[in-house]
Amino acid sequence: MAPLEVIGAGMSRCGTDSLRAALNILGYNTHHMFDGGPLYKNDELTEVFEEAYKHPEKHVDWDIVYNGYNAAVDCPTISFLPRLFEKYPDAKVILTKRDSESWYKSVYNTIYRIYELPPENPEEFEENVANMVKAIWLDGSFQDLQKFKDDPKTIKKRYEAHNAWMIKNIPANRLLVLDLRDGIDWDKICPFLGKPEPAVPYPHVNTTASFNEKHKVIDSSTA
């Protein structure tokens, strides 16, 4: 099913799972780390992503990596965006974003907690996936958990730089920027993708509360 037709460039905790669900409603098959897809079942695939990040000079057959998908969002895709944009020059790019303060708070209360306080049910966050995320996500921001907690300014700067790079480098006719503060609905996405609006509401999933319930993360607040 490759090549990719739509690439979500938004960082984790920026409505990316809702975008995954929305794209699937529109008829795409969307790659997302937590969609119950092959990353949970294929150690070799997580190794491919990790090696591709550590050795960017090496060739990667992205058509094989994304076999069966024609859209991709969130991690691990967001760690390879420049290469994917070059590989799939006709792909539409959707950048979902939010202000850096609320973004950091949401990440801190969800993904970060999985590493700080391992979930009660480890099978909900497979070790191979966790190790890959620590290696590649936002320039290795989870490799030093203490720094992530004690130096939010640096983490937020990385996040802001990620968004700024997308806006600066992706041609306007390929890029749709959606700010969660303005709300996201079909009337913004469907014209960009050339799709009719579905007769169902735009999905809003994977809130902090639902994320933590799914992964049995404890000692967290909502964001």
Side-chain angles (χ1 to χ4, degrees):
M1 192 178 290
L4 296 180
E5 298 174 20
V6 182
I7 299 174
M11 189 57 60
S12 308
R13 306 308 301 162
C14 287
T16 55
D17 200 28
S18 295
L19 179 60
R20 173 196 61 81
L23 291 174
N24 287 347
I25 290 171
L26 292 175
Y28 297 96
N29 192 28
T30 309
H31 187 283
H32 183 292
M33 185 173 65
F34 292 142
D35 68 356
L39 277 178
Y40 279 104
K41 306 167 187 175
N42 190 338
D43 287 346
E44 290 184 4
L45 188 53
T46 56
E47 289 175 5
V48 167
F49 280 114
E50 191 168 340
E51 286 298 304
Y53 179 80
K54 293 178 178 178
H55 303 285
E57 74 283 358
K58 293 185 178 180
H59 172 73
V60 177
D61 191 332
W62 295 109
D63 283 347
I64 292 179
V65 171
Y66 288 101
N67 183 42
Y69 295 92
N70 58 356
V73 301
D74 209 294
C75 189
T77 296
I78 50 176
S79 294
F80 305 97
L81 292 175
R83 280 183 269 180
L84 293 175
F85 297 153
E86 182 177 356
K87 171 67 176 178
Y88 304 113
D90 296 325
K92 296 283 190 177
V93 181
I94 300 176
L95 173 64
T96 51
K97 66 187 187 75
R98 61 198 296 183
D99 70 278
S100 60
E101 184 62 36
S102 71
W103 168 81
Y104 177 84
K105 181 181 179 183
S106 184
V107 174
Y108 180 83
N109 286 321
T110 53
I111 309 170
Y112 167 84
R113 296 290 188 178
I114 287 179
Y115 296 108
E116 183 189 47
L117 301 166
E120 295 175 1
N121 296 327
E123 66 273 10
E124 291 291 342
F125 199 65
E126 296 288 348
E127 184 177 2
N128 63 316
V129 179
N131 289 339
M132 179 198 66
V133 173
K134 289 185 74 172
I136 75 173
W137 187 81
L138 195 60
D139 300 324
S141 292
F142 286 139
Q143 291 191 38
D144 187 340
L145 293 178
Q146 197 63 45
K147 181 176 177 63
F148 185 95
K149 184 176 183 179
D150 294 343
D151 189 12
K153 184 176 180 180
T154 294
I155 305 303
K156 285 186 263 189
K157 280 186 176 180
R158 292 177 184 176
Y159 164 74
E160 291 167 352
H162 170 89
N163 291 339
W165 189 96
M166 300 301 148
I167 294 171
K168 179 180 179 180
N169 289 280
I170 306 304
N173 65 326
R174 290 182 61 193
L175 177 65
L176 175 65
V177 180
L178 299 173
D179 195 316
L180 270 61
R181 291 170 291 187
D182 299 329
I184 298 177
D185 212 332
W186 296 120
D187 61 348
K188 299 177 180 178
I189 290 179
C190 290
F192 177 70
L193 297 177
K195 298 282 188 178
E197 291 190 22
V200 296
Y202 185 87
H204 296 283
V205 300
N206 204 30
T207 63
T208 293
S210 63
F211 180 103
N212 290 341
E213 175 61 26
K214 176 181 178 180
H215 299 289
K216 306 302 179 184
V217 177
I218 62 175
D219 189 30
S220 60
S221 60
T222 58

